[in-house]
């Protein structure tokens, strides 16, 4: 099988509200300068082969490079130059780039890939350890060829889709024989990227400087990047306006400021560059509650939600209605040919009556204890909207406010909820972090997985089959089926899909020009100052 | 004849002995209280990361020792504390003592500047207003005091930021220094001072209103006392009357407040430190609660309780100095 470039089919979700990013400008490139980037929270580690998290990539993606990255044209070779899979799906061969050196001067070779894959990707990296569970070994026939051997078929397109996030090699010579989790290089990473780590002042900033020995000739343009930690969103907006910060990603300022700054011609505000980081705002049901185990009740609840209203008021238009577990950014694996539930209060009431839950003397049919996730403005307001919308159809909702650990334990470990609203993060391929929301038998307490007491043997079988199907077309069709079934049975409502939003100073050029820009290497970013 | 130990030393020693069980109780109490909050640092981390699988979570929990029963965790912590080992921070991957010492300087600098500014300006204005009670000047000062008193510090901070940084561009928005400015020597000092202007102002304006109001009422009360009238009858000048007779007595409540506020030294600046992103202890404490970073939080509380006990002791000493009727016993 030859290398496959998978068409992204990425539709700009909010073409009307978003402004054009500073792409492909005809201006002459200026070299030098320091780009200053806002980060809302502190990172515990900067090693992307130990923590799969956009917060980590946002910094370490400039220092440590993956084998493969994603561009708007498909998958882009970075440290890998070519990849192919065997017909039985048991081996994947990756050609590695030559003449690449780590920041300490050592050569980058297959030994690094083999070591990282076996010791970190398979053993320690979240999501990757499940993905690479069947990885037996990585052979190095020559220093620039890595052969991944699997005990069960691994679809090449799944492997490739996972690599931008879950495929960062780390230098073997700095990790071999050490306690990997406590290795000091985890917070002072050594990579092959366009920028070299300089320092990490806790609570203040991380700084990286230009790598003069970078393998892309003539790059990077910037002298330095500084990431500043500013917890307070209003202060972050002030820093942007005062010109002290050039970019704030992942909705780092309040939605009111997003709207205000989008009208300010000093900034580009939009969702470009997040096509690979799309998330769903969800409504999660506890199927252990017999009322919610009734499909008719769940359908009535879906009919009771005015999704378009929520998109306009909460997400200010930067979102689209969900169509099951795979978002549009899922490319070929996405379909919109699914059952949908229009907003219809009367129908919802009728369905609840039919299900055997008439309005009682107190004006309500039944009561739900609802846990809203504290993942920022969207989820909190979405939770409040849910409670409000349910009252319209005579369902009483009590909101149990909690912080992050309280929410994760309350919902995913203790199952102490009737309904919850959270956040499903789509990671390139449905097999990475999506199907775990539907597959039964998830270990108790695993966040962002099926802890809802919902079990369908048919769905379990469909998920397992799709995960090892090698033919991309057949595989895509299997995921369409999964979406259709999910929308029929709605174990979870994947109500709204939204990329993140960034506010970027127009002084930054070539920004948000890839579908996972904040996580990418920024080798071509420059500052017009 | 027995050698006499100075009574002050005996007093200090006794206070020290009393302090030890208090600190132990505080530490055990906080530990248990924190354990009652739902979730631990691994949940917080997983929340930040946007997800992880079960094996990853179990491995982290074992690494931090969070898989043990609470009593085992408490015992291990207290044993380590007995040797002044505060453990490692889960979030910063550094010893807690290092993390605290990094932050202590910023907080002390901020609090010492704001408190001393607030104290000196506050009592001066308060005394002045009291001497001209109900005049235009008094009304102006009192109204201003009331406004500062009623303004929440986050609002004051954000408004100053909007005016001086965004609109006028005079002062930096936040942080403790210009990153990538690479200043050295005096340039560095000036740079840090510029970064501290707004946070210091925001903090001291609120404290200032406390001292102002307290001092005003205290001076007015003392000025009515018999001994003041006597002193005036004996021909004492207004200045002497104010400095020697009134102020010295009127200062007592202000000193009490100073002691109390000094005790909130660490906690009082959470909001201001967070908004201005100053890497201080208040911000650290807030972050540690959110991230359930037990060791760091316990370290901060340990440091706080020591400071509170120390300040109480010093306040008592100062009392005895100001009012010779008070005896240390």
């Amino acid at each position: 099988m030859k290398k496959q470039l998978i068409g992204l089919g990425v539709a700009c979700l909010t073409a009307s509200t978003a402004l054009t990013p500073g792409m492909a400008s005809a201006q002459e490139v200026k070299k030098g300068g320091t780009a200053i980037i806002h980060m809302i929270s502190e990172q515990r580690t900067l090693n992307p082969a130990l923590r799969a998290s956009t917060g980590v990539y946002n910094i370490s993606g400039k220092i440590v490079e993956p084998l493969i990255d994603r561009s708007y044209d498909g998958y882009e070779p970075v440290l890998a130059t070519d990849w192919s899979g065997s017909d039985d799906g048991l081996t994947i061969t990756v050609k590695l780039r030559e003449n690449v050196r780590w920041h300490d001067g050592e050569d980058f070779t297959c030994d690094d890939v083999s070591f990282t894959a076996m010791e970190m990707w398979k053993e320690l990296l979240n999501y990757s350890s499940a993905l690479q569970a069947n990885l037996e070994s990585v052979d190095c026939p020559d220093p620039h060829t890595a052969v991944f051997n699997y005990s069960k078929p691994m679809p090449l397109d799944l492997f490739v889709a996972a690599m931008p996030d879950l495929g960062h090699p780390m230098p073997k010579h700095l990790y071999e024989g050490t306690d990997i989790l406590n290795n000091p290089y985890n917070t002072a990473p050594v990579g092959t990227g366009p920028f070299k780590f300089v320092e990490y002042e806790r609570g203040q900033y991380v700084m990286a400087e230009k790598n003069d020995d970078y393998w892309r000739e003539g790059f990077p343009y910037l002298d330095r990047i500084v990431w500043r930690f500013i917890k307070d969103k209003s202060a972050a907006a002030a820093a942007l306006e005062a010109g002290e910060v050039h970019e704030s990603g992942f909705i780092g300022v309040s939605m009111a400021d997003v709207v205000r700054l989008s009208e300010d011609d000093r900034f580009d505000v939009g969702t470009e560059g997040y096509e690979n980081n799309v998330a769903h705002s969800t409504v999660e049901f506890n199927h252990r509650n017999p009322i919610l185990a009734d499909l008719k009740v769940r359908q009535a609840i879906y009919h009771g939600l005015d999704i378009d209203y929520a998109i306009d008021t909460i997400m200010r238009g930067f979102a689209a209605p969900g169509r099951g577990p795979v978002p549009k950014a899922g490319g070929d694996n996405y379909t919109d040919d699914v059952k949908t539930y229009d907003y219809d209060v009367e129908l919802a009431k009728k369905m609840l009556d039919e299900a055997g839950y008439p309005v009682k003397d107190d004006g309500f049919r039944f009561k739900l204890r609802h846990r809203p996730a504290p993942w920022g403005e969207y989820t909190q307001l979405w939770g409040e909207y849910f409670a409000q919308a349910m009252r319209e159809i005579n369902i009483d909702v009590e909101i149990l406010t909690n912080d992050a650990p309280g929410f994760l334990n309350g919902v995913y470990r203790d199952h102490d909820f009737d309904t919850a609203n959270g956040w499903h993060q789509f990671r390139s391929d449905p097999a990475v972090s999506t199907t775990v929301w539907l597959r039964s038998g998830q270990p108790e307490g695993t966040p962002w997985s099926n802890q809802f007491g919902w079990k369908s043997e048919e769905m379990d079988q469909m998920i397992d089959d799709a995960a090892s199907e090698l033919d991309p077309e057949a595989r895509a069709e299997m995921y369409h089926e999964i979406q259709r079934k999910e929308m029929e049975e709605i174990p979870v409502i994947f109500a709204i899909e939204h990329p993140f939003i960034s506010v970027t100073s127009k002084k930054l050029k070539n920004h948000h020009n890839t579908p996972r820009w904040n996580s990418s290497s920024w080798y071509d970013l420059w500052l017009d100052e | 004849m027995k050698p006499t130990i100075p009574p002050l030393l005996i007093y200090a020693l006794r206070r020290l002995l009393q302090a030890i069980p208090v600190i132990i109780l505080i530490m055990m109490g906080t530990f248990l209280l924190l354990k009652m909050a739902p979730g631990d640092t691994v949940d917080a981390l997983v929340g930040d990361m946007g997800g992880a699988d079960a094996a990853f979570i179990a491995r982290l929990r074992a690494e931090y020792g969070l898989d043990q029963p609470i009593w085992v965790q408490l015992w291990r912590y207290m044993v380590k504390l007995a040797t002044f080992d505060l453990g490692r921070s889960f979030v910063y991957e550094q010893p807690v003592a290092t993390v605290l010492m990094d932050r202590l300087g910023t907080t002390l600098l901020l609090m010492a500047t704001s408190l001393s500014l607030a104290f000196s300006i506050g009592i001066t204005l308060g005394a002045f207003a009291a001497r001209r009670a109900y005049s235009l000047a008094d009304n102006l000062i009192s109204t201003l005091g009331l406004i500062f008193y009623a303004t929440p510090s986050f609002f004051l901070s954000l408004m100053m930021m909007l005016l001086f940084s965004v609109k006028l561009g005079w002062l930096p928005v936040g942080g403790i220094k210009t990153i990538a400015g690479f200043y050295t020597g005096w340039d560095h000092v000036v740079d840090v001072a510029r970064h501290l202007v707004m946070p210091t102002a925001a903090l001291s304006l609120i404290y200032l209103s406390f001292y102002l109001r307290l001092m005003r009422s205290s001076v007015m009360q003392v000025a009515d006392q018999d001994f003041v009238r006597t002193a005036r009858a004996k021909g004492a000048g207004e200045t002497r009357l104010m400095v020697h007779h009134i102020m010295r007595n009127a200062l007592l409540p202000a000193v009490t407040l100073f002691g109390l506020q000094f005790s909130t030294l660490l906690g009082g600046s959470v909001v201001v430190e967070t908004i201005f992103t100053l890497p201080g202890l208040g911000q650290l404490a807030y972050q540690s609660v959110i991230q359930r970073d037990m060791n760091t939080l316990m370290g901060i509380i340990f440091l706080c309780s020591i400071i509170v006990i120390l300040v109480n002791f010093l306040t008592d000493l100062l009392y005895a100095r100001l009012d010779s009727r008070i005896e240390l016993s």
Side-chain angles (χ1 to χ4, degrees), chain B residues 195-262:
Chain B
H195 281 82
L196 281 177
V197 171
M198 282 197 294
T200 309
L203 260 183
S204 50
L205 280 182
I206 284 155
Y207 286 130
L208 187 149
S209 59
F210 290 137
Y211 294 115
L212 192 159
R213 289 157 55 84
L214 194 68
M215 198 60 191
R216 181 176 177 275
S217 62
S218 176
V219 164
M220 283 171 72
Q221 198 187 3
V222 174
D224 279 349
Q225 301 266 324
D226 290 343
F227 70 86
V228 177
R229 199 178 308 128
T230 313
R232 186 174 281 127
K234 285 168 90 176
E238 279 300 309
T239 315
R240 189 187 158 79
L241 201 64
M242 191 67 196
V243 175
H244 282 259
H245 299 277
I246 301 177
M247 284 286 263
R248 194 163 167 179
N249 286 291
L251 262 178
L252 274 180
V255 169
T256 316
L257 186 69
F258 189 75
L260 278 175
Q261 284 190 338
F262 209 84

Side-chain angles (χ1 to χ4, degrees), chain B residues 3 26 51 78 86 90 109 112 138 150 188 196 199 210 225-226 246 255 262-263 286 289 298 308 327:
Chain B
I26 291 176
M78 294 308 284
L86 295 172
F90 302 146
L109 188 61
D138 172 39
H188 175 68
L196 281 177
F210 290 137
Q225 301 266 324
D226 290 343
I246 301 177
V255 169
F262 209 84
S263 309
Y286 174 67
V289 176
M298 294 290 288
V308 170
E327 271 179 55

Side-chain angles (χ1 to χ4, degrees), chain A residues 39-289:
Chain A
M39 297 284 294
I40 205 150
S41 65
E42 190 102 12
Q43 299 309 309
R44 300 191 191 197
T45 176
L46 297 177
N47 182 344
L50 290 181
R51 300 276 156 82
S53 162
T54 49
V56 174
Y57 307 142
N58 201 354
I59 296 173
S60 62
K62 327 299 169 261
I63 301 163
V64 181
E65 291 174 302
L67 291 177
I68 301 168
D69 204 347
R70 201 162 177 181
S71 75
Y72 281 119
D73 302 323
Y75 288 95
E76 181 187 51
V78 183
L79 291 180
T81 52
D82 193 30
W83 46 87
S84 59
S86 65
D87 290 339
D88 60 4
L90 294 177
T91 57
I92 289 174
T93 305
V94 177
K95 282 279 176 200
L96 302 176
R97 192 172 295 280
E98 297 182 28
N99 293 319
V100 174
R101 279 164 301 280
W102 296 103
H103 293 154
D104 62 0
E106 297 281 325
D107 284 331
F108 161 73
T109 65
C110 175
D111 283 343
D112 298 310
V113 176
S114 167
F115 175 81
T116 318
M118 296 310 291
E119 303 293 327
M120 298 189 207
W121 301 351
K122 181 181 163 70
E123 297 296 328
L124 303 173
L125 181 59
N126 52 321
Y127 288 118
S128 179
S129 47
L131 184 81
Q132 304 285 10
N134 302 323
L135 178 65
E136 295 280 284
S137 62
V138 179
D139 294 336
C140 297
D142 69 71
H144 298 102
T145 305
V147 181
F148 289 73
N149 298 307
Y150 288 91
S151 58
K152 284 184 184 159
M154 166 63 107
L156 182 65
D157 51 337
L158 170 57
F159 178 88
V160 171
M163 281 299 110
D165 279 352
L166 306 177
H168 293 81
M170 298 300 290
K172 179 183 180 183
H173 63 279
L174 298 179
Y175 279 92
E176 194 178 28
T178 67
D179 175 2
I180 291 178
L181 291 172
N182 291 315
N183 188 308
Y185 291 104
N186 290 338
T187 48
V190 171
T192 60
F195 296 92
K196 293 191 287 187
F197 173 84
V198 177
E199 60 179 335
Y200 181 178
E201 280 282 339
R202 301 298 193 288
Q204 295 187 65
Y205 64 90
V206 177
M207 190 192 291
E209 66 181 10
K210 182 177 183 168
N211 173 14
D212 289 318
D213 189 29
Y214 189 48
W215 56 269
R216 279 183 172 106
E217 289 289 325
F219 293 101
Y221 295 136
L222 290 169
D223 280 344
R224 210 172 280 113
I225 301 176
V226 169
W227 294 266
R228 266 181 72 176
F229 301 111
I230 305 178
K231 184 86 197 159
D232 189 85
K233 289 187 170 188
S234 309
L240 277 162
E241 285 198 88
E244 286 186 34
V245 165
H246 296 114
E247 196 247 8
S248 174
F250 298 103
I251 326 182
V253 299
S254 70
M255 284 310 289
D257 279 327
V258 166
V259 172
R260 190 169 59 84
L261 294 176
S262 71
E263 286 153 10
D264 187 326
D265 58 13
R266 290 174 296 167
F267 301 101
D268 289 328
V269 177
T271 58
E272 288 80 9
Y274 290 108
E275 291 79 358
N276 217 44
N277 297 108
V278 171
H280 282 110
S281 279
T282 59
V283 175
E284 298 157 30
F285 299 109
N286 191 347
H287 296 258
R288 296 168 191 87
N289 178 336

Side-chain angles (χ1 to χ4, degrees), chain A residues 304-307 309-310 313-314 343 379-391 399:
Chain A
L305 293 170
D306 188 351
I307 305 288
Y309 170 81
T313 50
I314 300 172
Y343 175 57
T379 42
Q380 246 135 359
L381 291 176
W382 171 239
E384 282 167 31
Y385 170 71
F386 173 76
Q388 191 185 316
M390 288 304 101
R391 275 181 206 117
I399 292 189

